[in-house]
Amino acid sequence: MNHTTRTDRRHLLQTAALAVSIVAASSAVGTAWAQAAKWPSKPIRIVVAFPPGGLTDAYARNYGEYLSTKLGVPVVIDNKPGAGAIIGIDAAAKAPADGYTFVMSTSGTFWQNRILYSKLPYNLDKDLTPVTVFPSGPLVVGIHDKIPAKNMAEFVAWAKKNPTSMGTYAPGSYPHMVADQTNRQQGTQIQSVHYKGEAAMWLDVASGQSQIAIGSFQAFNAMASRGVRAIGVTGSYRSPKLPDVPTLTEQGNTDKLVTLEGGLPLVAPAGTPEPILKRMADEAVAWSNTDKAAKLRETFAIPNKPKNLADTRKDWEGEVPVWIKLAVDLGIKLD
């Protein structure tokens, strides 16, 4: 076989290989679009990585009810709390990427668990993909009413002299990180006590079992007349429901952690067809403009709304590295 013949044969093989790859890719795209065209034809499941009663569950049920009327199929809310939200997230990560399973949890459990745990049963970057993020608004810093502190600085001074525990709604959650950071910077020895959600957490603060907690306004407010008092809020602006309570930043805390506003991501298994992801995000945006959504935001003191798929991905790319770096810098390990 001469050189020209070998070259021609190699060219033909390369061309054939390229043709096969193009056909395969076209087939995959065609299959994804075919799935999307038939979707939905059965109930959709939204896994919630926390028990009923908190903000994540409230969002999922409200949005799910709206989604059911728009898509014409039942939307089932499946609460799977525990293990710092790993149980619920893993259930969705291992589900078929066919548009019938999604998961909602807090941003911290999605983004920071990869740092907080040495080994996870799923890979956030490879196994899951974001759809939208439901905002959580400013979180409330609440303390047991009998503690003589009117702001965070006074509470820290009190905590240096008294046994103190911080209630958190999950290991590695926002309040857990605040407690750890306060201990490192202020020399306190605040113990983090982890709960599977907010209800039991605030109940223990009201009874004096724990001395401080951080969580949503609605869950805090349920205990506000039963022994819990607000001394601050997180984020860059005051809570619409607590206009007289200054942010931690206004109180002099300049750490990046207390200025960030987390959220409640809705996430799908990686490989879920793009048209389905876009439709789910678009419906979240449409739902946010309904009266029921407005009432939920009013109840939980949340002024902002979820975004479409493109904007969500843009925010995800910019914010996730910041949260991860905070977890790395604090050095918390949960296993």
Side-chain angles (χ1 to χ4, degrees):
M1 184 183 296
N2 60 40
H3 176 73
T4 301
T5 303
R6 286 198 301 269
T7 301
D8 290 344
R9 185 172 183 274
R10 186 183 306 114
H11 178 70
L12 287 172
L13 290 173
Q14 290 173 343
T15 301
L18 177 61
V20 170
S21 65
I22 290 174
V23 170
S26 299
S27 177
V29 171
T31 300
W33 279 95
Q35 289 176 345
K38 297 177 181 178
W39 178 90
S41 59
K42 62 181 182 179
I44 293 171
R45 179 176 65 138
I46 299 179
V47 177
V48 175
F50 291 92
L55 178 57
T56 313
D57 185 71
Y59 259 129
R61 293 181 185 279
N62 200 309
Y63 167 64
E65 181 181 342
Y66 170 84
L67 197 61
S68 180
T69 63
K70 295 291 288 185
L71 300 180
V73 298
V75 176
V76 179
I77 307 305
D78 184 6
N79 296 91
K80 289 186 176 295
I86 292 173
I87 292 174
I89 297 173
D90 186 48
K94 289 181 169 56
D98 55 8
Y100 291 98
T101 301
F102 299 85
V103 60
M104 281 184 66
S105 187
T106 61
S107 52
T109 57
F110 277 118
W111 300 342
Q112 294 163 289
N113 273 0
R114 68 179 81 186
I115 303 301
L116 302 174
Y117 294 89
S118 301
K119 186 177 181 181
L120 292 172
Y122 55 86
N123 183 306
L124 181 66
D125 298 318
K126 295 181 179 180
D127 300 334
L128 295 158
T129 187
V131 178
T132 191
V133 177
F134 294 91
S136 57
L139 300 180
V140 181
V141 182
I143 64 173
H144 182 58
D145 194 42
K146 297 294 178 64
I147 297 175
K150 297 178 181 179
N151 53 50
M152 193 64 177
E154 291 182 4
F155 178 81
V156 168
W158 180 90
K160 289 180 178 179
K161 302 175 182 178
N162 298 275
T164 306
S165 64
M166 166 88 81
T168 89
Y169 42 80
S173 61
Y174 189 92
H176 184 189
M177 297 191 72
V178 171
D180 189 81
Q181 187 177 73
T182 302
N183 287 341
R184 291 169 182 266
Q185 295 183 351
Q186 303 293 337
T188 51
Q189 295 184 356
I190 300 172
Q191 299 295 314
S192 293
V193 180
H194 307 303
Y195 298 83
K196 295 179 180 179
E198 290 193 70
M201 175 187 81
W202 286 116
L203 187 62
D204 275 3
V205 177
S207 68
Q209 187 72 23
S210 291
Q211 289 69 48
I212 186 171
I214 302 176
S216 69
F217 168 79
Q218 192 269 354
F220 155 82
N221 196 48
M223 293 291 158
S225 62
R226 299 171 60 181
V228 181
R229 175 166 46 86
I231 60 169
V233 298
T234 67
S236 58
Y237 54 90
R238 297 190 182 193
S239 169
K241 291 285 190 178
L242 299 168
D244 297 328
V245 178
T247 66
L248 296 182
T249 301
E250 289 177 296
Q251 296 182 35
N253 190 327
T254 59
D255 293 310
K256 184 69 174 177
L257 178 63
V258 301
T259 66
L260 291 173
E261 180 179 344
L264 309 169
L266 176 70
V267 174
T272 299
E274 185 79 0
I276 294 176
L277 298 177
K278 186 176 185 304
R279 179 69 185 276
M280 289 289 286
D282 287 346
E283 293 296 355
V285 173
W287 163 81
S288 71
N289 294 316
T290 65
D291 291 340
K292 283 191 174 182
K295 185 176 180 181
L296 184 147
R297 289 196 302 274
E298 170 71 14
T299 299
F300 283 88
I302 301 170
N304 39 0
K305 301 177 181 180
K307 298 179 181 180
N308 63 30
L309 182 61
D311 288 342
T312 296
R313 285 172 171 166
K314 182 178 179 181
D315 289 346
W316 194 272
E317 291 175 0
E319 293 176 4
V320 172
V322 176
W323 284 94
I324 290 175
K325 185 177 186 305
L326 284 170
V328 171
D329 290 346
L330 287 174
I332 301 174
K333 279 293 182 183
L334 301 180
D335 55 6

